[in-house]
Amino acid sequence: MIVRLLLWNLADSKTSVEELRAHVPDVEPPSAWISNEAGERFGLIAYGQELPDLATVRDLIGRDPDAAEEFDVEQNQ
């Protein structure tokens, strides 16, 4: 299984964490949107092969994620 971590710094963006919360697409658990209002950061932890449609998030923030990483999930046998 793959996990993707996408992070945006909102300090220079066109939007706020509050506005993003109202417009992000739903994701299937265990995937989840994450935020840190004090640090002005917003992100997504996405499990599996497919990402949700990020067009609305990109439009609101004004750019692609500042950081995008992909990890393999290690499971104990």
Side-chain angles (χ1 to χ4, degrees), residues 1-41:
M1 180 183 293
I2 293 174
V3 174
R4 290 181 178 89
L5 175 63
L6 307 176
L7 293 173
W8 286 267
N9 183 343
L10 302 179
D12 303 353
S13 77
K14 304 186 297 184
T15 193
S16 65
V17 170
E18 185 176 330
E19 185 178 13
L20 284 164
R21 284 184 184 132
H23 293 95
V24 295
D26 291 335
V27 293
E28 292 291 323
S31 296
W33 292 99
I34 57 174
S35 64
N36 178 325
E37 284 191 70
E40 297 184 273
R41 296 196 186 254

Side-chain angles (χ1 to χ4, degrees), residues 2-8 32-34 42-47 51 54 65-71:
I2 293 174
V3 174
R4 290 181 178 89
L5 175 63
L6 307 176
L7 293 173
W8 286 267
W33 292 99
I34 57 174
F42 195 79
L44 173 66
I45 299 173
Y47 288 80
L51 287 172
L54 299 175
D66 297 304
E69 296 285 337
E70 186 174 291
F71 299 89

Side-chain angles (χ1 to χ4, degrees), residues 8 11 19 29-30 38 51 56-57 64 68 76:
W8 286 267
E19 185 178 13
L51 287 172
T56 301
V57 176
D64 287 329
N76 293 335

